[in-house]
Amino acid sequence: MGASASREKFRESVTALIEVDVSADDAEFWDELWKIPSSGEEVFELISPTAARRLRDERFDNLATLFTQATAQLCQIVETPYNIYFDQALNCVRVLTRILPFLLEKGDLGDPDENVEHLCWGAGAGGMPGDERIGLVVGEEGAKNTTKGAQGDEEQEPLALLVVHAAMHMLFLPQFTCDYYDENDANKKTKKLALTRKDKEMRAEAGLANEKLVEGGVVLQPRPTTIVWAPGAGIKPTDAGFETSTRKYDKNRIEVLRLLLSACCDPLFSPADEYNPLASRWLAVSVAADAPNAVCLFYSLLNTILNYDPASMSFNADSNHIQLVELSAQVLCVLLDCGLPGSPEIVLNHDGEPVVEYEHASQGGFNLFRTILARLDTANEMTFIFRGFAHLLKNVYQSKTTYLPTTSSVKLECFQELLVLLWKFLEENPMFMNHILTQCNVNELIVPICYLMYQSRRDPAQIGLVHICTFVLLKLSGERSFGVALNKPFKDKLPTDLPLFTGGHADLVSITLHKLVVNGAYKLVPLYSCFLTIICNISPYWRRMSLVAAVKLVNLFELFSSPKFLYSGEHAHRHLALLLEVFNNIIQYQFTGNQHLIYAIIRRKDSFGKLASLTLPKAQAQCHKVYGDHTNVQYDADSRGAPMSMVDNDGNTIGEQSDLTGLPFTPTNEWLSEMKASMPLETVTRLLQHLVPVVDDIVARKQGVVDENEILEVLKDVTMVGLLPVPHAIVIRKYQPNQYTALWFTAFMWGVIFLRNQNLPMFDGQAIELFQVSVQEDED
């Protein structure tokens, strides 16, 4: 049958399903349907969203038979993986990938429907009688070899579970998605590698030095190792048992991963304010302890992503493998986003294998993927994961710095998914952050993050990207070793108009954040407190601030003390308090080497003086001049965006912000008293009292003609010992996990997945509730 004839035949079959009732016993129709050669593009085009919903709402019996028989075929191919049925199985995969999202619109998190519930989760759903029905769809030989269906409907597992399990089996099907392997390997016990001294130290620092021994449990090591798609974490190259660079299974892996992704899309149909990460049974089945090949899938996805080297792909890039890497990142993000966080507690069986106790694995909300992530605990694995993230994220600017076709690297588009995965590792593995801060060069992550923030600052469509980069920086900035690491000299050349400076990575961070404030999109206003908190957290360890960074920081102080900002909201002065804390930290703890900042403060001394001498009449007059009588705030520097809370050294919650956008605000005595009480001006005031006369004296002696370098040399040798207040305690504000941030990540992640799957539009925006989908109609 030619391509055009196949396409027309498939169109006729789809039309028949929508227009007339087709009996489940019409063996000729169904057998012919599954054998029609069809590509994924044809299936998606011919089963349009309108057609899929009509099938669901008007011909549900046809949809039930279609779903039941496609699932039965996948179960059969898993039981008897004959390659003569692979093309037919792929047809079933494509059809299921297309129709599942429309079923889930009426699923656990969508608008419930009794028919959909019974079809997906009812016992014996779909009326599949046994061997005879399976035989109709896979052929007589398949029916003879099948024994599972003979026990009747009562013991039939739900179709939803069957299709998810079949997909996870098919991701490791011999000659379909992996090489042949010895069945005995699946039961072979493999001891975990002996811990090195560094591993033991890393565990001890994370408070996980003790091991718990149990009789048995769910093993967290891949079995067999020979079916894992790529070496890396959890598997050494010598254990792979196959040619690790092979690409021959990429196409089939992509098809089945799409099916798994479509089966896990429940969250799309839940309103954001009602989303429950424990509510989807589809996701629960996918991450349960008994999910087939789940451990192998975790390591396959992770290693496929992190082993990918865009530079090696260069001019003749393998588009299938790039697509596999990007889809692997999306699926892994989804599987790590539901259920409850995994426990990092080290539990071993008597064979020395890492396990999860059966009792814990059977509890509601258990997620095997999050548990494996939390239990990664060797220095080699952490280093491999860090290097993978580093070289993939650096691709966002390295792909733009080379021009010759033979040397240019392929641009990887899944950097947003990579940032979500990086966040998951920082959040859920207690050893990962400490390892990358103390044993790796964390600046390899910071440079691409700053580049992405800088490039995306004006694009309203990239606000989510700026948010996630901000969250990562805020999370890292809560650690002392991060601030220290940022002192390393910055020598990279980025393909952007970033101001030239000579300094360290702390300068890069502060200059980037300054640019986001003064030249970023309006929607970034809610992040200003986070930007300043990041700078504040790293400031006590900032040894030598560049001239550019010093000027930018003092410029920010002038900006936030201007009437437009200061009176934009009742708590907008908190920005000034944070900046003053930055200056105080550097003056008190890093005075030597930071003469650029000291001189910048001296040059802008009037800004500090005006703030210190502010009176209520002056404040009210300034506010009236900017906002008028009604004081309807158009710009609120304190408005709330993505929910973010922090805790200080003592565990006190801080950083809560008011949502005052558009509300009237007038300075009062109470406001002025609160503002002045929150402004730590004493250190800067003492500094100015002592050093302004020194600088004025230099200028007077030179009769007003003085080289700034002379002043900097004098300031370099000045000591403030005994002249400043007693050094204050360093306050570090750490990110505090909360359900609102978790919800934001879920919505952001699914928004990215939705947009990244438009070439083959897996999800229709019409029914999506998790976020708003705006469709721009083409003009005639």
Side-chain angles (χ1 to χ4, degrees):
M1 187 183 294
S4 59
S6 299
R7 179 186 173 86
E8 188 57 36
K9 187 65 181 175
F10 189 77
R11 183 194 299 276
E12 292 173 2
S13 299
V14 171
T15 302
L17 286 173
I18 296 171
E19 300 295 339
V20 299
D21 292 326
V22 180
S23 171
D25 296 322
D26 189 345
E28 183 179 352
F29 174 87
W30 294 107
D31 190 45
E32 188 175 37
L33 172 66
W34 300 122
K35 291 180 179 178
I36 299 173
S38 54
S39 66
E41 289 75 10
E42 289 173 340
V43 169
F44 274 68
E45 180 186 347
L46 297 178
I47 306 179
S48 66
T50 301
R53 291 193 178 99
R54 282 190 62 192
L55 187 61
R56 180 194 66 200
D57 298 335
E58 300 174 14
R59 305 285 175 186
F60 189 82
D61 287 345
N62 288 355
L63 177 62
T65 306
L66 185 75
F67 183 37
T68 301
Q69 295 206 9
T71 303
Q73 287 212 59
L74 298 191
C75 293
Q76 184 61 47
I77 205 72
V78 168
E79 289 293 319
T80 52
Y82 300 146
N83 55 16
I84 58 171
Y85 294 127
F86 284 174
D87 288 340
Q88 198 168 325
L90 282 173
N91 281 345
C92 296
V93 166
R94 291 162 187 153
V95 169
L96 286 170
T97 301
R98 186 52 171 160
I99 66 171
L100 274 179
F102 299 98
L103 281 174
L104 267 62
E105 288 179 6
K106 303 286 187 179
D108 291 343
L109 302 182
D111 184 15
D113 181 273
E114 185 178 342
N115 287 332
V116 173
E117 169 69 19
H118 179 71
L119 173 64
C120 296
W121 299 103
M128 184 169 64
D131 288 17
E132 295 77 16
R133 180 55 47 85
I134 296 176
L136 288 175
V137 295
V138 300
E140 293 182 5
E141 184 178 353
K144 293 176 183 177
N145 294 329
T146 304
T147 59
K148 286 192 172 183
Q151 298 173 14
D153 290 354
E154 291 74 20
E155 296 184 20
Q156 177 67 42
E157 292 178 307
L159 284 177
L161 181 144
L162 288 174
V163 73
V164 170
H165 281 196
M168 297 181 81
H169 276 300
M170 290 181 71
L171 287 168
F172 302 95
L173 201 63
Q175 295 303 290
F176 185 72
T177 47
C178 70
D179 287 335
Y180 279 118
Y181 61 92
D182 189 341
E183 291 287 346
N184 295 324
D185 289 345
N187 300 314
K188 189 180 296 182
K189 295 179 180 179
T190 54
K191 271 202 171 184
K192 193 163 177 67
L193 295 175
L195 293 177
T196 65
R197 180 181 175 183
K198 189 178 292 185
D199 295 336
K200 294 177 181 177
E201 291 174 352
M202 189 169 63
R203 282 186 176 186
E205 289 173 0
L208 298 170
N210 297 325
E211 298 177 349
K212 180 179 179 181
L213 292 178
V214 296
E215 287 293 330
V218 180
V219 178
L220 299 182
Q221 285 186 236
R223 288 182 179 173
T225 58
T226 52
I227 65 173
V228 177
W229 298 350
I235 174 174
K236 298 182 296 183
T238 54
D239 295 333
F242 58 91
E243 177 53 52
T244 56
S245 62
T246 182
R247 302 283 182 263
K248 60 184 177 180
Y249 301 118
D250 284 359
K251 283 187 177 180
N252 290 345
R253 290 170 178 172
I254 289 169
E255 298 271 13
V256 183
L257 281 178
R258 278 204 196 110
L259 171 58
L260 187 58
L261 185 61
S262 69
C264 293
C265 71
D266 250 347
L268 284 172
F269 311 112
S270 168
D273 57 351
E274 299 175 12
Y275 177 67
N276 180 355
L278 306 179
S280 170
R281 285 171 289 177
W282 290 86
L283 282 166
V285 165
S286 302
V287 300
D290 63 346
N293 301 317
V295 178
C296 290
L297 180 58
F298 174 87
Y299 285 110
S300 293
L301 297 175
L302 181 65
N303 294 343
T304 296
I305 299 163
L306 299 181
N307 270 306
Y308 176 65
D309 183 6
S312 69
M313 302 299 287
S314 67
F315 192 54
N316 298 312
D318 183 346
S319 59
N320 284 327
H321 191 66
I322 296 172
Q323 192 175 357
L324 177 64
V325 171
E326 296 179 344
L327 194 55
S328 295
Q330 293 170 14
V331 171
L332 187 55
C333 282
V334 169
L335 296 175
L336 291 173
D337 192 61
C338 61
L340 300 173
S343 169
E345 180 186 13
I346 298 171
V347 182
L348 305 175
N349 62 19
H350 289 298
D351 294 310
E353 296 174 313
V355 298
V356 178
E357 293 175 88
Y358 291 122
E359 182 180 357
H360 179 66
S362 62
Q363 293 175 354
F366 176 79
N367 184 327
L368 187 63
F369 290 82
R370 295 178 77 170
T371 300
I372 300 170
L373 185 151
R375 294 280 295 274
L376 293 169
D377 61 358
T378 67
N380 285 338
E381 287 176 322
M382 299 299 172
T383 300
F384 165 77
I385 293 167
F386 168 80
R387 287 176 178 169
F389 278 124
H391 81 253
L392 289 174
L393 288 174
K394 283 193 285 188
N395 171 257
V396 298
Y397 63 86
Q398 287 179 342
S399 62
K400 296 184 178 182
T401 58
T402 51
Y403 304 99
L404 296 176
T406 55
T407 60
S408 61
S409 60
V410 175
K411 183 183 179 184
L412 196 64
E413 298 294 344
C414 65
F415 51 86
Q416 296 182 99
E417 295 94 314
L418 290 171
L419 288 168
V420 172
L421 287 176
L422 175 62
W423 175 260
K424 294 290 184 185
F425 273 90
L426 292 171
E427 270 287 271
E428 302 199 14
N429 188 294
M431 303 183 201
F432 182 70
M433 183 157 65
N434 183 63
H435 180 79
I436 67 172
L437 291 177
T438 59
Q439 305 298 322
C440 305
N441 181 10
V442 71
N443 295 310
E444 293 184 39
L445 298 177
I446 301 309
V447 174
I449 286 175
C450 287
Y451 173 78
L452 285 170
M453 296 176 79
Y454 192 89
Q455 293 295 92
S456 306
R457 69 188 186 279
R458 301 287 300 167
D459 185 356
Q462 297 297 325
I463 298 301
L465 173 60
V466 177
H467 273 75
I468 191 171
C469 291
T470 303
F471 291 168
V472 171
L473 288 178
L474 184 63
K475 176 79 174 176
L476 293 170
S477 73
E479 303 296 322
R480 177 187 179 277
S481 48
F482 177 70
V484 174
L486 290 181
N487 286 303
K488 290 183 179 178
F490 172 70
K491 297 179 180 179
D492 289 320
K493 291 184 178 180
L494 298 178
T496 185
D497 59 346
L498 193 75
L500 295 176
F501 68 92
T502 302
H505 288 79
D507 298 273
L508 172 67
V509 171
S510 64
I511 292 170
T512 300
L513 297 180
H514 167 270
K515 193 70 170 180
L516 267 65
V517 172
V518 301
N519 189 238
Y522 174 79
K523 289 185 178 181
L524 294 181
V525 170
L527 289 178
Y528 287 0
S529 288
C530 292
F531 295 163
L532 297 176
T533 299
I534 292 165
I535 298 173
C536 194
N537 281 348
I538 66 176
S539 60
Y541 319 107
W542 199 341
R543 297 193 194 110
R544 296 183 184 278
M545 187 182 297
S546 70
L547 172 62
V548 175
V551 171
K552 299 295 186 188
L553 283 182
V554 178
N555 282 349
L556 277 183
F557 184 86
E558 288 190 316
L559 181 66
F560 285 125
S561 62
S562 67
K564 180 183 177 183
F565 278 76
L566 188 56
Y567 307 118
S568 65
E570 185 178 355
H571 301 290
H573 58 79
R574 291 177 180 172
H575 300 332
L576 287 173
L578 283 169
L579 277 169
L580 283 170
E581 194 172 325
V582 171
F583 301 149
N584 292 346
N585 283 337
I586 293 174
I587 292 169
Q588 291 279 20
Y589 293 101
Q590 300 290 345
F591 184 86
T592 302
N594 275 304
Q595 59 270 21
H596 287 304
L597 177 64
I598 306 303
Y599 185 44
I601 291 173
I602 293 171
R603 291 191 60 180
R604 309 293 175 83
K605 60 183 181 295
D606 290 344
S607 297
F608 298 92
K610 288 177 183 177
L611 185 65
S613 62
L614 185 66
T615 62
L616 183 60
K618 191 183 295 184
Q620 290 175 334
Q622 291 175 346
C623 184
H624 174 78
K625 184 176 180 180
V626 174
Y627 292 111
D629 291 329
H630 300 291
T631 325
N632 286 325
V633 178
Q634 299 300 315
Y635 173 92
D636 182 6
D638 194 46
S639 63
R640 191 173 191 133
M644 176 65 66
S645 62
M646 293 161 276
V647 293
D648 62 15
N649 307 31
D650 300 321
N652 301 313
T653 302
I654 54 178
E656 292 297 331
Q657 303 171 343
S658 310
D659 188 355
L660 300 170
T661 306
L663 297 178
F665 166 69
T666 302
T668 62
N669 271 319
E670 292 77 12
W671 172 84
L672 186 62
S673 298
E674 180 191 342
M675 186 203 74
K676 291 204 169 186
S678 67
M679 293 291 154
L681 277 163
E682 186 180 4
T683 300
V684 173
T685 302
R686 293 264 195 103
L687 178 86
L688 292 173
Q689 287 172 350
H690 181 71
L691 293 184
V692 168
V694 172
V695 174
D696 288 345
D697 182 59
I698 297 172
V699 174
R701 282 191 282 109
K702 296 285 187 177
Q703 297 180 341
V705 182
V706 61
D707 187 348
E708 285 189 353
N709 288 327
E710 293 182 42
I711 297 176
L712 291 173
E713 284 300 317
V714 172
L715 293 177
K716 187 176 181 181
D717 297 329
V718 165
T719 178
M720 295 297 292
V721 176
L723 299 172
L724 296 174
V726 175
H728 58 281
I730 295 174
V731 177
I732 300 298
R733 296 165 177 83
K734 295 194 175 188
Y735 162 78
Q736 182 73 6
N738 62 83
Q739 61 177 337
Y740 302 106
T741 309
L743 174 59
W744 183 90
F745 269 95
T746 297
F748 171 75
M749 176 193 72
W750 276 108
V752 170
I753 291 173
F754 172 77
L755 291 173
R756 301 266 293 111
N757 284 279
Q758 290 302 305
N759 287 338
L760 201 65
M762 291 179 61
F763 312 109
D764 181 55
Q766 181 178 325
I768 290 176
E769 297 283 345
L770 187 63
F771 48 82
Q772 186 176 0
V773 179
S774 299
V775 180
Q776 185 174 356
E777 296 183 2
D778 296 331
E779 296 182 1
D780 295 332

